[in-house]
């Protein structure tokens, strides 16, 4: 397993997006725990969760509790695992998603997340999405307060623009360590945010990193899945999955990139983790870049 850094913490170059383990069509707990354990067995040391990753109303924190139970049940050493969670979104239970960036809500949410995860301080706490009803500086200020209080060790922001990254960096300084936006071979609207994150030394965690190859579970599919692309052809030539090729391609975009593909079964994350050690040639990268949309 190759490693990259989030702040001053070294983590696996491929993380586990744990959302599919708790939302609609989730697996039973036995399979969910087996999926987390398979990730750990494969060398994954970054697990991405959120308090809003649940299905039904009244299940806030379902995924966080699941991750905590899975880590506790693992037979090996988990001291090097970074669990990154998020706050600021909600799920009423009807399939919709809400946004709440109120500072007091975020502080209470972080404290509740820490309790569910069973930690004194959250390793990485991310503001899930800007709330248009709340000034951005106020929401980010809540992260500053959480850092100062020791509730969280590092802060991240998600679904943000370059201006919001700059504002957050000015408020949080070295406390800001990551940006998590949608980014894949099929959806590259966040190219400016990726470039800025790289310049500022922030980790960039693409969500839905397999867009165009596999469907996303969050906010609807990132686009129709495709076949017969250069990603698929190179995968056949290499004898690996197109998902591995897509993740390996993402890793070449910047040393800041740490994809967090979702997984609902052990085989999926085991396959994804192998992408960290898959080196693409210049000729292969040229072929892939030539077929990118836009």
């Amino acid at each position: 397993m190759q490693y990259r850094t989030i702040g001053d913490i070294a983590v696996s170059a491929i993380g586990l997006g744990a959302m599919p383990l708790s939302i609609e069509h989730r697996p039973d707990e036995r399979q969910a725990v087996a999926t987390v354990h398979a990730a750990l067995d494969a060398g994954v040391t970054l697990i991405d969760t959120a308090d809003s990753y649940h299905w039904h109303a009244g299940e806030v924190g379902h995924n966080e509790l699941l991750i905590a139970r899975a880590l506790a049940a693992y037979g090996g050493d988990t001291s090097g695992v970074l669990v990154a969670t998020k706050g600021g979104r909600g799920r009423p239970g009807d399939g919709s998603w809400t946004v709440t960036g109120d500072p007091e809500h975020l502080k209470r949410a972080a404290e509740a997340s820490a309790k569910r995860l069973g930690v004194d301080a959250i390793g990485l706490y991310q503001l899930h999405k800007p709330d248009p009803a709340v000034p951005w500086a106020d929401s980010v200020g809540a992260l500053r307060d959480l850092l100062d209080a020791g509730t969280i060790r590092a802060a991240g922001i998600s679904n943000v623009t370059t201006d919001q990254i700059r504002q957050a960096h000015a408020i949080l300084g070295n406390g800001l360590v990551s940006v998590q936006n949608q980014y894949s071979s099929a959806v590259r609207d966040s190219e400016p945010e990726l470039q800025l994150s790289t310049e500022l030394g922030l980790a960039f965690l693409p969500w839905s990193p397999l867009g165009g190859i596999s469907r996303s579970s969050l906010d609807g599919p990132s686009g129709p899945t495709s076949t017969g692309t250069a990603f698929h052809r190179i995968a056949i030539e290499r004898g690996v999955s197109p998902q591995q090729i897509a993740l390996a391609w993402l890793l070449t975009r910047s040393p800041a990139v740490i994809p967090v593909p979702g997984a609902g079964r052990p085989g999926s994350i085991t396959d994804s983790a192998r992408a960290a050690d898959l080196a693409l040639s210049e000729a292969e990268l040229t072929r892939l870049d030539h077929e990118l949309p836009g």
Side-chain angles (χ1 to χ4, degrees), residues 185 188 228-233 285-294:
S185 62
R188 290 178 293 116
T229 69
F231 288 88
H232 294 80
R233 290 191 292 273
L285 289 171
T286 298
R287 290 169 61 189
L288 293 171
D289 290 343
H290 181 70
E291 287 198 15
L292 292 176

Side-chain angles (χ1 to χ4, degrees), residues 43-67:
V44 171
T45 62
L46 171 64
I47 299 176
D48 183 73
T49 180
D51 61 1
S52 58
Y53 289 170
H54 62 90
W55 184 350
H56 307 291
E59 289 188 325
V60 173
H62 182 282
N63 198 242
E64 294 172 324
L65 290 167
L66 172 66
I67 296 305

Side-chain angles (χ1 to χ4, degrees), residues 130 136 140 155-173 176-181 189-205:
W136 178 238
V140 175
I157 50 178
S158 183
N159 300 301
V160 288
T161 65
T162 53
D163 285 345
Q164 288 167 335
I165 294 172
R166 290 189 180 94
Q167 279 186 276
H169 190 253
I171 294 169
L172 299 172
L176 178 66
V177 299
S178 67
V179 171
Q180 185 169 170
N181 277 16
D189 297 344
S190 283
E191 192 75 45
E193 287 74 27
L194 168 56
Q195 293 178 5
L196 179 58
S197 297
T198 303
E199 292 170 11
L200 294 176
L202 306 175
F204 186 86
L205 316 178

Side-chain angles (χ1 to χ4, degrees), residues 207-266:
W207 64 261
S208 191
L210 298 174
I213 303 296
S214 300
R215 290 189 180 278
S216 167
S217 299
L218 181 61
D219 289 331
S222 60
T225 55
S226 57
T227 58
T229 69
F231 288 88
H232 294 80
R233 290 191 292 273
I234 292 173
I236 292 172
E237 294 165 8
R238 285 292 201 100
V240 300
S241 69
Q243 286 83 359
Q244 279 190 48
I245 299 296
L247 293 170
W249 172 83
L250 277 172
L251 291 172
T252 69
R253 304 300 285 180
S254 164
V257 170
I258 305 173
V260 285
R265 56 190 181 86

Side-chain angles (χ1 to χ4, degrees), residues 121-140:
I122 296 170
L124 173 58
Y125 192 71
Q126 303 158 98
L127 180 53
H128 208 152
K129 192 172 187 176
D131 184 345
V134 177
W136 178 238
D138 291 353
S139 295
V140 175

